Amino acid sequence: MKEYKRHDYREIELYKDVPEEDWNNWKWQLRNVVKDIDTLKKIMPIDESMEQDLEKCLEKFTMAITPYYASIMEKDYPRGVVRLQAVPTINELHVAADDQDDPLHEDVDSPVPGLTHRYPDRVLLLVTHICSMNCRHCTRRRMVGDHDTHLTRESIDKCIDYIREHKEIRDVLLSGGDPFTLTDDALEYVISKVREIDHVEIIRIGSRTPVVMPQRITDDLCNMLKKYHPIYVNTHFNHPDEITADSKEACERLANAGIQMGNQTVLLRDVNDCPNIMKKLMHELLRIRVKPYYIYQCDLSVGISHFRTSITKGMEIIENLRGHTTGMAVPTFVVDAPGGGGKIPVMPNYLLSQSDRRFALRNYEGVITTYTQPEEVFSNCGRCNICKESDKQYKPLDGVAKLLSGEKLYLEPANLKRRKRD
Ligand SMILES: *Cc1c(COP(=O)(O)O)cnc(C)c1O
Ligand code: SF4
């Protein structure tokens, strides 16, 4: 099988004398994160106009590039797909009409600082504001890079208390920032506390570290994590060029610790807004044992409008994946709804028409086919113990599922004008 490239960091003047031992040490990587223009100049050519642009950007947004990510960046190609994710451009200063500080209402839906409880059975726990790298397309740029802190022990304990008191929470998602910027001990504190809670079934970690600082994925970290299974890690590759021998090894170490790896890609203009690039990315991810999970429509955070594409581009990408390649390579394309509506899947239409008995469906080749429904369509379900003990089960709140079950016959907005008329 094809080998992945190992970039030689010594080709960069600034790093040519760095001993391998330091380079492969994540603490060295963190200490040497590139934050200023002078250092960046030692990594890649920067002309005067670019320097002026950078200066203006850095007044408003922070820059942080790990030496490792700098080593895989295209040095003399400003439109490079890796570089675009790391080096600020003047476009960031453009505020588009619909830009918002907190488009996903993660702060609004937060019962305790650090925790977002949006969906019934799962919570997002933002354990830190720190990332080793500041991605230029970051959704959480209002927090990341702004005030560089981990959540305090006290805040974490309050979040844990909340999870303990809410028995409906069966899935805790650690995110940030990047949880892997915490030390093993600090991370273990959070994970072990969450694991002690009886009703928490799974723990998930969202981290871009395997992509931007693979050195962090040490055997010690993996050995710690595997004590608390079931643990899932979702990482964040956006382009096949980010998959290197180093990032592959990082994912492999996690997978070898029994951790299921998933990937969440952001659809980014000029980086991966192409069905062919995306197909290649999905294939390469499976080769490094990472299962594509989501493709996100780029959201409405301030200063990233130049990365946004049309939603139809995402649908086109799914059209080019589904059926054309293994279903394992097909993630769900979602729009994270502004205002806290959560992730909404969008996909091409496969259902062409329907009658009482038949469905007309089309496949990826354009073949139109039918499915004839059984004459007796009513389900006999509802007899087993899961339903009989359903008072103990999670029941949908006012969702469409409740309409389908017949518990409600309609949903309407809270302040419907018609209801207020006498
Ligand atoms: C994305 C997200 C989750 C997890 O969603 P899944 O679809 O279960 O992966 C949970 N809480 C919040 C606030 C989220 O944004
Ligand atoms: S790793 Fe994630 S949270 Fe951190 S800067 Fe990148 S996109 Fe933002």
Side-chain angles (χ1 to χ4, degrees):
M1 243 187 357
K2 188 189 104 186
E3 294 288 313
Y4 289 96
K5 184 170 176 186
R6 192 174 314 272
H7 294 253
D8 186 3
Y9 65 88
R10 292 189 191 85
E11 284 170 11
I12 298 169
E13 186 64 20
L14 176 66
Y15 301 132
K16 74 176 192 319
D17 296 324
V18 176
E20 237 168 86
E21 202 183 321
D22 281 346
W23 184 264
N24 291 326
N25 180 334
W26 68 278
K27 293 195 169 148
W28 182 91
Q29 289 277 335
L30 267 190
R31 273 198 307 276
N32 287 281
V33 162
V34 181
K35 295 189 163 167
D36 60 273
I37 302 170
D38 285 339
T39 315
L40 191 61
K41 270 183 174 168
K42 293 180 193 153
I43 292 167
M44 58 186 225
I46 292 177
D47 63 25
E48 213 170 294
S49 94
M50 200 183 147
E51 179 162 356
Q52 283 169 4
D53 288 355
L54 278 169
E55 274 166 9
K56 281 186 217 145
C57 280
L58 295 196
E59 279 169 23
K60 182 132 190 254
F61 298 112
T62 49
M63 172 174 76
I65 309 172
T66 59
Y68 164 79
Y69 204 76
S71 78
I72 71 167
M73 233 161 47
E74 306 84 353
K75 308 299 179 294
D76 16 312
Y77 178 44
R79 314 284 322 146
V81 293
V82 180
R83 172 162 154 183
L84 276 176
Q85 299 179 59
V87 178
T89 61
I90 196 74
N91 296 325
E92 293 183 23
L93 296 181
H94 173 70
V95 178
D98 288 329
D99 281 2
Q100 293 160 33
D101 270 339
D102 177 21
L104 308 180
H105 280 197
E106 287 179 340
D107 298 342
V108 180
D109 285 342
S110 177
V112 219
L115 190 125
T116 302
H117 192 178
R118 166 162 312 144
Y119 296 104
D121 67 342
R122 54 209 186 278
V123 292
L124 184 65
L125 177 48
L126 304 177
V127 292
T128 177
H129 296 302
I130 299 179
C131 282
S132 52
M133 175 118 159
N134 288 161
C135 307
R136 300 330 299 171
H137 56 274
C138 182
T139 265
R140 304 215 177 99
R141 41 181 34 213
R142 73 184 184 287
M143 310 189 283
V144 174
D146 254 12
H147 36 105
D148 270 356
T149 51
H150 297 306
L151 215 60
T152 60
R153 195 50 71 98
E154 202 188 349
S155 302
I156 287 187
D157 287 342
K158 285 201 178 119
C159 293
I160 306 271
D161 287 343
Y162 179 91
I163 297 169
R164 195 179 295 113
E165 285 156 19
H166 288 78
K167 297 214 166 10
E168 70 276 20
I169 298 170
R170 35 175 302 286
D171 172 7
V172 175
L173 214 153
L174 308 183
S175 182
D178 194 321
F180 289 154
T181 54
L182 267 60
T183 61
D184 291 359
D185 287 345
L187 188 57
E188 180 161 17
Y189 176 79
V190 186
I191 295 180
S192 63
K193 288 279 169 199
V194 174
R195 191 34 93 215
E196 276 171 16
I197 303 173
D198 256 359
H199 55 267
V200 173
E201 294 169 9
I202 62 173
I203 299 175
R204 290 194 276 171
I205 300 172
S207 167
R208 188 152 149 85
T209 293
V211 188
V212 298
M213 195 173 62
Q215 294 79 5
R216 169 70 183 101
I217 311 301
T218 58
D219 288 336
D220 284 349
L221 175 68
C222 294
N223 287 333
M224 182 277 279
L225 293 173
K226 76 180 185 197
K227 289 192 278 177
Y228 302 98
H229 273 313
I231 295 218
Y232 294 77
V233 170
N234 274 325
T235 186
H236 173 176
F237 285 94
N238 292 322
H239 193 281
D241 286 359
E242 291 176 321
I243 303 182
T244 64
D246 296 285
S247 57
K248 172 181 184 264
E249 280 164 18
C251 293
E252 242 165 28
R253 266 195 290 278
L254 288 163
N256 287 343
I259 294 168
Q260 298 255 354
M261 296 288 295
N263 188 69
Q264 323 201 99
T265 297
V266 184
L267 179 54
L268 298 170
R269 196 168 131 209
D270 291 351
V271 173
N272 59 14
D273 56 340
C274 156
N276 289 327
I277 290 176
M278 281 293 199
K279 193 186 283 172
K280 178 149 197 257
L281 174 63
M282 302 311 151
H283 286 162
E284 301 289 331
L285 286 170
L286 289 178
R287 287 187 53 204
I288 63 166
R289 299 163 69 188
V290 177
K291 165 83 183 76
Y293 181 44
Y294 281 137
I295 295 177
Y296 287 94
Q297 174 68 8
C298 188
D299 59 45
L300 298 173
S301 295
V302 178
I304 59 172
S305 58
H306 55 292
F307 280 124
R308 277 175 221 141
T309 63
S310 63
I311 289 184
T312 40
K313 181 53 77 180
M315 295 170 71
E316 182 189 345
I317 286 164
I318 300 300
E319 181 70 59
N320 277 272
L321 289 171
R322 174 62 69 197
H324 297 273
T325 187
T326 166
M328 290 286 288
V330 188
T332 307
F333 173 54
V334 291
V335 180
D336 216 334
K343 300 172 185 75
I344 300 176
V346 181
M347 70 183 110
N349 227 339
Y350 294 95
L351 177 60
L352 297 181
S353 195
Q354 64 209 86
S355 68
D356 282 353
R357 284 296 305 281
R358 284 192 189 86
F359 277 78
L361 305 154
R362 62 100 179 171
N363 80 348
Y364 73 102
E365 300 165 303
V367 169
I368 298 178
T369 185
T370 57
Y371 179 83
T372 305
Q373 302 200 81
E375 264 171 78
E376 183 54 75
V377 291
F378 293 109
S379 170
N380 289 318
C381 91
R383 292 163 301 163
C384 77
N385 286 340
I386 291 183
C387 274
K388 284 189 188 136
E389 292 166 24
S390 65
D391 51 316
K392 290 185 205 128
Q393 299 287 319
Y394 157 69
K395 286 188 180 157
L397 299 164
D398 281 343
V400 174
K402 209 160 189 170
L403 296 182
L404 294 185
S405 73
E407 265 180 86
K408 272 202 156 211
L409 292 182
Y410 54 83
L411 296 176
E412 59 184 34
N415 293 309
L416 191 65
K417 235 178 180 170
R418 180 160 54 80
R419 292 274 171 223
K420 289 189 179 161
R421 278 186 219 131
D422 286 323

